[in-house]
Amino acid sequence: MSLDATTSNRSAADPDQVLAVHGLVKRFGAVTAVDGLDLAQRRGTVLAVLGPNGAGKTTTIEICEGFQRPDAGDVRVLGHRPDARELRPRIGVMPQGGGAYPGVRAGEMLRLVASCARQPLDVDWLLGVLGLTDALRTPYKRLSGGQQQRLSLACAVVGRPELVFLDEPTAGLDPQARRLVWDLVRALRTDGVSVLLTTHLMDEAESLADDVVILDHGRVVATGTPAELTADATDEQRLGFRASPGLPLADLLTRLPGCTAEEPDPGRYVIRGPIGPREVSTVTAWCAERGVLAEELKVVRRSLEDVFLDLTGRELR
Amino acid sequence: MSAETRFAPGTFTPAPGRGRLGRMLAVQTATETKLALRNGEQLLLTLIIPLALLVGLTELPIIDIGTPRVDWVAPRVLALAIMSTAFTSQAISLGFDRRYGVLKRLAATALPRWLLVAGRVLSACCIVVVQLVVLSAVAALLGWSPHLSGLGEAVPLLVLGALAFGALGVLLGGSVRAEITLAVANAVWFVLLLAGGIAVPESSLPAGLATVVDLLPSGALAGGLTDALARGTSPGAGPYLVLLAWTVVPGLIATRTTRLT
Ligand SMILES: Nc1ncnc2c1ncn2[C@@H]1O[C@H](COP(=O)(O)OP(=O)(O)OP(=O)(O)O)[C@@H](O)[C@H]1O
Ligand SMILES: [Mg+2]
């Protein structure tokens, strides 16, 4: 992909863009980890970068953080080149694993990182709210995986940055800790901090992100808001329910114009088509006329996971 | 618990900026020093082995040196202590800090790069001070009476020695994989201890080796300290020039080869 001067100039000038990546390429020998990637993030938003293992998420983030040099392309972070010194205090970084002396205690590490900032958050409060108070004096190498993750997250936000890069912030966290991280990301967003995160959890991206980018083989394969990505082009929705097996679906369909119906397993029914409140009540009424109770009635939207699997394939690699 | 109750609005309102340089340096130096003093393997290298050699070589007539034995052993053990801290221990911890992403983590903060280096250097200096105090105290108990007139030469030699070994340590620990650093740093330590003019004086080494040893940082430091403290004579410019060369050349190479990961 070639780079034209007009795009990069525009991105550098736009104060509302915290991140502008154009035509980014990064190769490792024969492997092209990032292959002509474009990204943009608006200030104060949460951008989720999704993609299968090896799609190039970490490589892209590390280039934005200034830790790796791109082979081609233009990257602007808060209007600066990624390796600019003046950028350091303004960004927060949570790498995918690691990032502390093996023998350092959690409290010492966070205090060290906090000392680098002019107006850091209160270290003891942050350790407490992230559930690390009990682990204060435990050496890093003896912390559990989830505790290490939370310490790393604390290090990313303690300096009060404008833009935070979180590489798989909830990997390996229990459900409580995951909720905590979600709350934290939402609070960051509320306070005007821009957050770029990667994740393999589609529900995480759906509930946290303003915008989603799906990568595959180092390229962007889809981008948009979660709603845009999951909106079905054909406007088709599904209504699923359980009832006694063998109901006469052809009769039901006479009352549901434009819909199709099937019984994939005995007693489990799926109606496809433009499903609205009227269609739902038609189904329950029709069942009631037959003295049958429709259970587990659910309108199923196309999930982000469906979109992801459609775009990136269902095979493991 | 909802986001509102856990995090009051405004908690994370951006307020980026760099911390005060003095405080950053103090906290980083203190952290690294504490880590070094807490690490058993590093203590073995920096304190226990030098102490054992100090007592052992003084009390047991294994190697033929001058008398009183402690006057000739102590300067050599001080040279060993410097090498252990500034070179071996430094290289190994740098190698593993890179491996575990510590340097990346710190480079991602507002900490300037030079301060990252300065913190490590200062921390090594703190360890060296602890070593000098402990080893000198034990040597004094063993009857050490150095030529106090030699202190004026011993101090700059110790400083230059620390810089030379420190530059070599950073060169090694900053460029290759942690396992290789570990193996090489220990091997070099052992070779220089035995054949580099530290444990065995140049006079006891074969003639050809003795010339080489004078050009090594270990030989220059141990020889210079022995002249200054045991003989009470000036070692001349030789050891200074050798140590300076071992500081500048590896230091310059290290500025190009040192990587964060
Ligand atoms: N330093 C490196 N040397 C060689 N190849 C590398 C290097 N870093 C990354 N790669 C390769 O580049 C590709 C992208 O890796 P990257 O870590 O960016 O993926 P990712 O999307 O973060 O994956 P995951 O979801 O597993 O974290 C992979 O094929 C990886 O093997
Ligand atoms: Mg990754």
Side-chain angles (χ1 to χ4, degrees), chain B residues 102-196:
Chain B
V102 179
L103 295 200
K104 214 155 114 178
R105 148 66 56 222
L106 294 178
T109 66
L111 194 76
R113 294 280 159 95
W114 66 263
L115 211 144
L116 199 66
V117 177
R120 291 189 94 94
V121 170
L122 266 188
S123 155
C125 291
C126 292
I127 306 289
V128 167
V129 168
V130 172
Q131 289 175 303
L132 292 182
V133 169
V134 172
L135 291 170
S136 303
V138 172
L141 288 179
L142 294 170
W144 185 32
S145 57
H147 283 270
L148 294 179
S149 60
L151 277 181
E153 300 242 30
V155 170
L157 278 171
L158 286 169
V159 170
L160 258 184
L163 288 177
F165 277 115
L168 285 165
V170 171
L171 177 62
L172 176 62
S175 54
V176 296
R177 286 216 330 269
E179 289 76 15
I180 299 179
T181 298
L182 183 67
V184 173
N186 281 318
V188 168
W189 180 88
F190 200 67
V191 168
L192 290 185
L193 171 65
L194 290 183

XYZ file of all heavy atoms in Angstrom, chain B residues 102-196:
676
model
N 11.069 -5.562 31.962
C 11.167 -4.462 32.933
C 11.633 -3.178 32.238
O 11.092 -2.096 32.469
C 12.168 -4.799 34.052
C 12.269 -3.640 35.020
C 11.748 -6.064 34.764
N 12.627 -3.332 31.362
C 13.167 -2.131 30.721
C 12.106 -1.494 29.829
O 12.000 -0.274 29.738
C 14.406 -2.478 29.892
C 15.616 -2.977 30.689
C 16.875 -2.807 29.878
C 15.750 -2.253 32.000
N 11.318 -2.353 29.190
C 10.252 -1.836 28.335
C 9.231 -1.085 29.184
O 8.813 0.008 28.836
C 9.584 -3.028 27.651
C 9.109 -2.741 26.276
C 9.051 -4.027 25.496
C 7.646 -4.365 25.148
N 7.554 -5.584 24.337
N 8.861 -1.710 30.283
C 7.899 -1.083 31.189
C 8.406 0.289 31.643
O 7.680 1.277 31.617
C 7.653 -2.023 32.380
C 7.356 -1.431 33.698
C 6.051 -0.674 33.810
N 4.884 -1.419 33.452
C 3.883 -0.929 32.723
N 3.954 0.308 32.273
N 2.838 -1.633 32.433
N 9.685 0.369 32.024
C 10.216 1.642 32.508
C 10.391 2.624 31.352
O 10.180 3.827 31.516
C 11.531 1.427 33.250
C 11.389 0.638 34.558
C 12.734 0.424 35.202
C 10.446 1.354 35.529
N 10.763 2.105 30.189
C 10.923 2.998 29.037
C 9.580 3.565 28.601
O 9.519 4.609 27.952
C 11.578 2.253 27.880
N 8.502 2.874 28.970
C 7.168 3.357 28.604
C 6.693 4.461 29.530
O 5.689 5.103 29.279
C 6.163 2.202 28.627
N 7.401 4.682 30.619
C 7.024 5.773 31.518
C 7.769 7.041 31.103
O 8.492 7.045 30.110
C 7.421 5.456 32.970
O 8.841 5.422 33.035
C 6.869 4.120 33.421
N 7.598 8.068 31.903
C 8.257 9.334 31.589
C 9.735 9.338 31.973
O 10.432 10.313 31.759
C 7.541 10.473 32.314
N 10.186 8.225 32.542
C 11.589 8.109 32.965
C 12.509 8.283 31.750
O 12.436 7.498 30.824
C 11.780 6.720 33.562
C 13.016 6.406 34.375
C 12.899 7.015 35.752
C 13.184 4.902 34.497
N 13.401 9.292 31.756
C 14.306 9.421 30.608
C 15.294 8.252 30.562
O 15.618 7.678 31.598
C 15.056 10.731 30.881
C 14.338 11.390 32.001
C 13.601 10.346 32.748
N 15.757 7.949 29.358
C 16.662 6.803 29.203
C 17.923 6.959 30.053
O 18.381 6.009 30.672
C 17.082 6.633 27.734
C 15.969 6.251 26.799
C 15.651 4.769 26.865
N 14.311 4.529 26.360
C 14.034 4.190 25.109
N 15.000 4.015 24.252
N 12.789 4.012 24.711
N 18.478 8.180 30.075
C 19.732 8.366 30.816
C 19.516 8.083 32.290
O 20.385 7.598 32.997
C 20.314 9.772 30.592
C 19.478 10.900 31.153
C 18.585 11.652 30.467
C 19.459 11.391 32.501
N 17.997 12.582 31.288
C 18.524 12.445 32.550
C 20.139 11.049 33.669
C 18.237 13.156 33.711
C 19.850 11.757 34.831
C 18.914 12.791 34.832
N 18.284 8.367 32.749
C 17.992 8.146 34.159
C 17.871 6.656 34.469
O 18.219 6.190 35.542
C 16.701 8.877 34.509
C 16.636 9.388 35.943
C 15.923 10.711 36.000
C 15.975 8.382 36.830
N 17.402 5.918 33.469
C 17.330 4.466 33.591
C 18.726 3.911 33.843
O 18.943 3.052 34.692
C 16.773 3.916 32.274
C 16.190 2.527 32.225
C 14.944 2.475 33.069
C 15.839 2.165 30.786
N 19.705 4.444 33.091
C 21.106 4.024 33.253
C 21.641 4.546 34.586
O 22.256 3.803 35.356
C 21.962 4.537 32.079
C 23.414 4.163 32.285
C 21.422 3.986 30.765
N 21.366 5.819 34.874
C 21.899 6.434 36.094
C 21.408 5.695 37.337
O 22.170 5.488 38.289
C 21.497 7.904 36.154
N 20.147 5.283 37.314
C 19.594 4.564 38.460
C 20.341 3.266 38.711
O 20.647 2.912 39.849
N 20.634 2.558 37.618
C 21.357 1.289 37.761
C 22.776 1.536 38.260
O 23.284 0.794 39.107
C 21.402 0.552 36.418
C 20.056 0.032 35.974
C 20.189 -0.875 34.761
N 20.295 -2.267 35.151
C 19.246 -3.090 35.224
N 18.042 -2.660 34.936
N 19.413 -4.333 35.591
N 23.410 2.571 37.722
C 24.791 2.876 38.127
C 24.827 3.230 39.608
O 25.636 2.698 40.377
C 25.355 4.035 37.281
C 26.681 4.506 37.847
C 25.522 3.603 35.828
N 23.898 4.113 40.015
C 23.872 4.532 41.418
C 23.594 3.358 42.339
O 24.183 3.244 43.420
C 22.791 5.594 41.622
C 23.250 7.041 41.531
C 22.113 7.961 41.937
C 24.448 7.263 42.450
N 22.690 2.479 41.895
C 22.377 1.320 42.710
C 23.608 0.432 42.858
O 23.920 -0.041 43.961
C 21.213 0.572 42.069
O 21.247 -0.764 42.436
N 24.348 0.240 41.744
C 25.590 -0.539 41.827
C 26.567 0.137 42.794
O 27.248 -0.538 43.582
C 26.210 -0.693 40.439
N 26.615 1.475 42.769
C 27.502 2.195 43.684
C 27.110 1.935 45.136
O 27.979 1.759 45.998
C 27.470 3.693 43.397
S 28.231 4.109 41.819
N 25.791 1.930 45.390
C 25.339 1.666 46.760
C 25.801 0.288 47.213
O 26.265 0.121 48.347
C 23.808 1.728 46.847
S 23.153 3.366 46.587
N 25.663 -0.698 46.316
C 26.089 -2.053 46.676
C 27.595 -2.065 46.933
O 28.076 -2.691 47.886
C 25.761 -3.050 45.542
C 24.280 -2.974 45.160
C 26.149 -4.478 45.931
C 23.345 -3.524 46.160
N 28.346 -1.357 46.069
C 29.803 -1.325 46.238
C 30.159 -0.724 47.595
O 31.043 -1.223 48.296
C 30.466 -0.546 45.082
C 31.915 -0.237 45.412
C 30.381 -1.352 43.789
N 29.453 0.321 47.996
C 29.723 0.934 49.296
C 29.483 -0.084 50.413
O 30.306 -0.244 51.319
C 28.861 2.199 49.497
C 28.929 2.664 50.941
C 29.334 3.297 48.552
N 28.368 -0.808 50.311
C 28.093 -1.841 51.323
C 29.229 -2.861 51.347
O 29.742 -3.234 52.410
C 26.742 -2.541 51.025
C 26.550 -3.746 51.942
C 25.586 -1.565 51.168
N 29.652 -3.295 50.146
C 30.743 -4.273 50.063
C 32.023 -3.733 50.704
O 32.676 -4.428 51.482
C 31.051 -4.594 48.596
C 29.980 -5.403 47.892
C 30.329 -5.559 46.425
O 30.508 -4.563 45.714
N 30.433 -6.779 45.962
N 32.375 -2.484 50.345
C 33.620 -1.911 50.861
C 33.582 -1.838 52.380
O 34.560 -2.180 53.051
C 33.859 -0.525 50.262
C 34.170 -0.490 48.761
C 34.428 0.937 48.293
C 35.377 -1.376 48.422
N 32.425 -1.422 52.918
C 32.312 -1.295 54.369
C 32.459 -2.664 55.032
O 33.265 -2.849 55.947
C 30.960 -0.631 54.739
C 30.706 -0.749 56.242
C 30.960 0.825 54.306
N 31.700 -3.643 54.547
C 31.725 -4.968 55.175
C 33.102 -5.611 55.030
O 33.693 -6.096 56.008
C 30.633 -5.872 54.554
C 30.773 -7.306 55.052
C 29.250 -5.326 54.881
N 33.639 -5.587 53.806
C 34.919 -6.263 53.571
C 36.055 -5.572 54.333
O 36.929 -6.242 54.894
C 35.223 -6.318 52.070
C 34.302 -7.245 51.244
C 34.512 -7.035 49.757
C 34.533 -8.709 51.618
N 36.031 -4.243 54.348
C 37.091 -3.537 55.078
C 37.004 -3.824 56.564
O 38.032 -3.998 57.237
C 36.979 -2.025 54.851
O 37.037 -1.740 53.480
N 35.777 -3.894 57.081
C 35.613 -4.160 58.507
C 36.159 -5.535 58.849
O 36.903 -5.699 59.829
C 34.139 -4.051 58.888
N 35.816 -6.528 58.017
C 36.306 -7.885 58.294
C 37.824 -7.939 58.128
O 38.533 -8.559 58.939
C 35.599 -8.915 57.380
C 36.239 -10.292 57.522
C 34.117 -8.975 57.725
N 38.327 -7.263 57.082
C 39.781 -7.240 56.888
C 40.462 -6.596 58.089
O 41.510 -7.078 58.553
C 40.118 -6.491 55.599
N 39.835 -5.551 58.617
C 40.420 -4.883 59.785
C 40.473 -5.848 60.962
O 41.456 -5.891 61.706
C 39.594 -3.646 60.140
N 39.411 -6.646 61.129
C 39.408 -7.641 62.201
C 40.521 -8.656 62.014
O 41.046 -9.211 62.971
C 38.050 -8.365 62.244
C 36.875 -7.546 62.755
C 35.593 -8.371 62.716
C 37.145 -7.055 64.178
N 40.858 -8.905 60.739
C 41.935 -9.863 60.456
C 43.314 -9.206 60.552
O 44.318 -9.833 60.247
C 41.749 -10.459 59.057
C 40.510 -11.347 58.842
C 40.317 -11.659 57.373
C 40.620 -12.630 59.653
N 43.324 -7.926 60.917
C 44.597 -7.247 61.112
C 45.078 -6.424 59.937
O 46.263 -6.113 59.815
N 44.177 -6.058 59.043
C 44.553 -5.293 57.845
C 45.057 -3.909 58.238
O 44.387 -3.186 58.978
C 43.341 -5.165 56.922
C 43.619 -4.506 55.595
C 44.768 -4.559 54.877
C 42.705 -3.701 54.847
N 44.629 -3.863 53.702
C 43.372 -3.317 53.662
C 41.384 -3.273 55.052
C 42.767 -2.523 52.682
C 40.780 -2.497 54.079
C 41.479 -2.121 52.908
N 46.227 -3.528 57.757
C 46.674 -2.147 57.960
C 47.178 -1.600 56.627
O 48.354 -1.687 56.310
C 47.778 -2.086 59.025
O 48.854 -2.918 58.628
N 46.238 -1.076 55.829
C 46.631 -0.556 54.519
C 47.446 0.725 54.664
O 47.359 1.408 55.681
C 45.284 -0.261 53.865
C 44.353 -0.028 54.992
C 44.821 -0.895 56.112
N 48.247 1.027 53.630
C 48.944 2.308 53.596
C 47.906 3.396 53.345
O 47.333 3.469 52.262
C 49.973 2.316 52.468
C 51.200 1.536 52.814
N 52.298 2.084 53.434
C 51.481 0.219 52.639
C 53.217 1.145 53.623
N 52.747 0.002 53.139
N 47.662 4.206 54.371
C 46.618 5.223 54.215
C 47.002 6.225 53.143
O 46.151 6.831 52.498
C 46.358 5.914 55.552
C 45.746 4.963 56.595
C 45.515 5.688 57.922
C 44.431 4.362 56.099
N 48.310 6.388 52.897
C 48.750 7.302 51.848
C 48.249 6.835 50.481
O 48.129 7.629 49.551
C 50.277 7.371 51.832
O 50.800 6.060 51.583
N 47.955 5.542 50.356
C 47.512 5.015 49.064
C 46.039 5.251 48.787
O 45.556 4.981 47.690
N 45.290 5.754 49.789
C 43.842 5.926 49.611
C 43.525 6.880 48.460
O 42.564 6.686 47.719
C 43.206 6.450 50.899
C 42.870 5.385 51.948
C 42.218 6.031 53.160
C 41.937 4.333 51.345
N 44.377 7.909 48.325
C 44.168 8.889 47.268
C 44.193 8.253 45.879
O 43.553 8.743 44.955
N 44.928 7.156 45.751
C 44.954 6.448 44.468
C 43.893 5.354 44.449
O 43.320 5.044 43.410
C 46.337 5.817 44.248
C 47.463 6.829 44.219
C 48.184 6.841 42.876
O 47.547 6.555 41.848
O 49.396 7.139 42.884
N 43.653 4.743 45.621
C 42.725 3.611 45.662
C 41.305 4.035 45.290
O 40.618 3.328 44.550
C 42.743 2.980 47.052
N 40.897 5.197 45.771
C 39.505 5.601 45.524
C 39.234 5.814 44.024
O 38.300 5.226 43.477
C 39.131 6.836 46.370
C 37.782 7.393 45.945
C 39.119 6.467 47.850
N 40.067 6.626 43.321
C 39.796 6.745 41.888
C 39.943 5.419 41.136
O 39.210 5.177 40.171
C 40.831 7.762 41.399
C 41.755 8.012 42.519
C 41.104 7.561 43.776
N 40.835 4.551 41.600
C 40.949 3.243 40.947
C 39.671 2.435 41.116
O 39.185 1.805 40.174
C 42.135 2.460 41.532
C 43.522 2.792 40.979
C 44.596 2.086 41.805
C 43.646 2.390 39.511
N 39.112 2.470 42.332
C 37.865 1.740 42.587
C 36.739 2.278 41.714
O 35.961 1.525 41.124
C 37.477 1.844 44.070
C 38.304 1.004 45.047
C 38.004 1.394 46.485
C 38.018 -0.483 44.844
N 36.675 3.618 41.608
C 35.612 4.232 40.805
C 35.777 3.842 39.335
O 34.833 3.391 38.671
C 35.628 5.768 40.974
C 34.694 6.423 39.974
C 35.237 6.134 42.395
N 37.014 3.987 38.829
C 37.257 3.636 37.431
C 37.006 2.151 37.182
O 36.465 1.758 36.149
C 38.708 3.965 37.059
C 38.953 5.242 36.270
C 40.426 5.347 35.924
C 38.114 5.252 34.987
N 37.408 1.340 38.158
C 37.186 -0.099 38.026
C 35.704 -0.412 37.934
O 35.265 -1.210 37.101
N 34.914 0.250 38.788
C 33.471 0.025 38.757
C 32.900 0.451 37.408
O 32.031 -0.221 36.845
C 32.808 0.785 39.895
N 33.408 1.575 36.872
C 32.892 2.045 35.584
C 33.260 1.067 34.463
O 32.431 0.740 33.613
C 33.453 3.436 35.266
C 32.891 4.572 36.115
C 33.556 5.890 35.769
C 31.373 4.671 35.929
N 34.523 0.601 34.473
C 34.964 -0.308 33.416
C 34.172 -1.610 33.460
O 33.630 -2.062 32.440
C 36.454 -0.598 33.562
N 34.072 -2.207 34.648
C 33.311 -3.458 34.747
C 31.830 -3.206 34.489
O 31.140 -4.049 33.914
C 33.535 -4.111 36.114
C 34.794 -4.916 36.186
C 35.825 -4.546 37.022
C 34.947 -6.037 35.386
C 37.001 -5.297 37.076
C 36.113 -6.788 35.427
C 37.140 -6.418 36.276
N 31.340 -2.042 34.900
C 29.938 -1.716 34.650
C 29.660 -1.625 33.158
O 28.657 -2.148 32.663
N 30.556 -0.986 32.417
C 30.369 -0.866 30.969
C 30.368 -2.249 30.330
O 29.544 -2.551 29.452
C 31.469 0.012 30.375
N 31.286 -3.117 30.787
C 31.330 -4.478 30.248
C 30.055 -5.249 30.603
O 29.525 -6.005 29.785
C 32.559 -5.215 30.794
C 33.893 -4.795 30.178
C 35.048 -5.296 31.028
C 34.006 -5.340 28.755
N 29.575 -5.044 31.813
C 28.357 -5.722 32.248
C 27.162 -5.308 31.413
O 26.350 -6.140 30.996
N 27.053 -4.012 31.146
C 25.935 -3.524 30.339
C 26.071 -4.031 28.895
O 25.091 -4.441 28.271
C 25.866 -1.982 30.371
C 24.840 -1.466 29.369
C 25.507 -1.511 31.775
N 27.312 -4.042 28.403
C 27.538 -4.534 27.041
C 27.056 -5.972 26.906
O 26.362 -6.329 25.947
C 29.033 -4.450 26.705
C 29.453 -4.984 25.333
C 28.782 -4.194 24.226
C 30.970 -4.917 25.175
N 27.395 -6.801 27.899
C 26.991 -8.210 27.839
C 25.487 -8.358 28.106
O 24.754 -8.931 27.296
C 27.805 -9.020 28.859
C 27.436 -10.499 28.993
C 27.658 -11.233 27.681
C 28.247 -11.158 30.107
N 25.025 -7.834 29.233
C 23.638 -8.037 29.638
C 22.636 -7.346 28.740
O 21.469 -7.734 28.680
N 23.085 -6.318 28.016
C 22.149 -5.547 27.203
C 21.988 -6.038 25.791
O 21.150 -5.538 25.044
N 22.802 -7.059 25.408
C 22.770 -7.406 23.992
C 22.339 -8.836 23.693
O 21.678 -9.079 22.698
C 24.146 -7.146 23.356
O 25.140 -7.828 24.098
N 22.692 -9.796 24.556
C 22.383 -11.190 24.214
C 21.277 -11.749 25.102
O 20.800 -11.080 26.013
C 23.646 -12.087 24.300
C 24.675 -11.656 23.288
C 24.217 -12.059 25.705
N 20.866 -12.987 24.820
C 19.792 -13.611 25.591
C 20.204 -13.815 27.045
O 21.368 -14.013 27.359
C 19.434 -14.972 24.989
C 18.656 -14.903 23.707
C 17.635 -16.048 23.629
N 18.061 -17.253 24.327
C 18.748 -18.247 23.756
N 19.093 -18.157 22.495
N 19.075 -19.313 24.443
N 19.213 -13.808 27.929
C 19.479 -13.876 29.367
C 20.292 -15.112 29.749
O 21.201 -15.028 30.579
C 18.160 -13.839 30.137
N 19.996 -16.266 29.151
C 20.721 -17.502 29.502
C 22.184 -17.395 29.116
O 23.063 -17.859 29.839
C 20.131 -18.715 28.781
C 18.764 -19.151 29.266
C 17.659 -18.261 28.768
O 17.926 -17.483 27.820
O 16.558 -18.321 29.316
N 22.430 -16.803 27.945
C 23.817 -16.659 27.489
C 24.545 -15.699 28.425
O 25.671 -15.951 28.850
C 23.848 -16.162 26.028
C 23.137 -17.193 25.144
C 25.267 -15.914 25.559
C 23.073 -16.821 23.692
N 23.877 -14.604 28.772
C 24.466 -13.651 29.711
C 24.847 -14.352 31.007
O 25.958 -14.185 31.520
C 23.466 -12.529 30.008
O 23.193 -11.838 28.807
C 24.031 -11.554 31.030
N 23.924 -15.151 31.519
C 24.158 -15.848 32.786
C 25.410 -16.716 32.688
O 26.305 -16.651 33.547
C 22.931 -16.711 33.113
C 22.948 -17.465 34.436
C 22.900 -16.489 35.592
C 21.757 -18.415 34.525
N 25.510 -17.496 31.624
C 26.640 -18.407 31.465
C 27.944 -17.625 31.280
O 28.942 -17.890 31.963
C 26.397 -19.335 30.278
N 27.914 -16.654 30.374
C 29.147 -15.920 30.063
C 29.598 -15.095 31.262
O 30.785 -15.076 31.617
C 28.939 -15.018 28.824
C 30.150 -14.119 28.604
C 28.677 -15.873 27.590
N 28.665 -14.438 31.929
C 29.033 -13.564 33.055
C 29.692 -14.369 34.167
O 30.675 -13.934 34.767
C 27.800 -12.828 33.577
N 29.152 -15.564 34.430
C 29.762 -16.399 35.471
C 31.108 -16.954 35.036
O 32.052 -17.005 35.828
C 28.809 -17.542 35.851
C 27.707 -17.059 36.779
O 27.958 -16.286 37.695
N 26.477 -17.477 36.519
N 31.202 -17.374 33.770
C 32.460 -17.938 33.275
C 33.566 -16.881 33.306
O 34.680 -17.139 33.774
C 32.267 -18.483 31.860
N 33.246 -15.682 32.830
C 34.246 -14.613 32.796
C 34.699 -14.277 34.224
O 35.885 -14.095 34.493
C 33.682 -13.361 32.088
C 34.585 -12.156 32.308
C 33.509 -13.634 30.598
N 33.734 -14.237 35.117
C 34.053 -13.948 36.527
C 35.066 -14.958 37.060
O 36.077 -14.604 37.665
C 32.747 -14.021 37.335
C 32.895 -13.755 38.804
C 32.848 -12.540 39.422
C 33.092 -14.722 39.841
N 33.002 -12.692 40.774
C 33.157 -14.018 41.061
C 33.207 -16.117 39.859
C 33.331 -14.646 42.289
C 33.391 -16.753 41.087
C 33.449 -16.013 42.279
N 34.812 -16.234 36.767
C 35.658 -17.309 37.273
C 37.050 -17.242 36.651
O 38.070 -17.352 37.341
C 34.982 -18.650 36.953
C 35.473 -19.770 37.799
C 35.217 -19.788 39.166
C 36.208 -20.808 37.239
C 35.675 -20.829 39.957
C 36.664 -21.848 38.032
C 36.403 -21.869 39.390
N 37.101 -17.037 35.338
C 38.391 -16.988 34.642
C 39.209 -15.794 35.131
O 40.400 -15.914 35.421
C 38.176 -16.930 33.116
C 39.479 -16.591 32.404
C 37.607 -18.250 32.613
N 38.554 -14.639 35.245
C 39.299 -13.449 35.676
C 39.739 -13.583 37.135
O 40.814 -13.106 37.512
C 38.463 -12.181 35.493
C 38.228 -11.749 34.040
C 37.483 -10.418 33.992
C 39.540 -11.639 33.271
N 38.939 -14.246 37.934
C 39.321 -14.455 39.332
C 40.615 -15.261 39.408
O 41.547 -14.903 40.127
C 38.181 -15.181 40.072
C 38.501 -15.672 41.488
C 38.763 -14.489 42.407
C 37.351 -16.504 42.050
N 40.666 -16.359 38.633
C 41.819 -17.255 38.742
C 43.000 -16.799 37.892
O 44.136 -16.809 38.346
C 41.402 -18.677 38.322
C 40.457 -19.381 39.297
C 40.171 -20.793 38.820
C 41.039 -19.400 40.703
N 42.712 -16.418 36.637
C 43.814 -16.139 35.711
C 43.880 -14.682 35.294
O 44.695 -14.314 34.452
C 43.677 -17.030 34.476
N 43.008 -13.836 35.851
C 42.979 -12.443 35.418
C 43.677 -11.496 36.377
O 43.488 -10.295 36.300
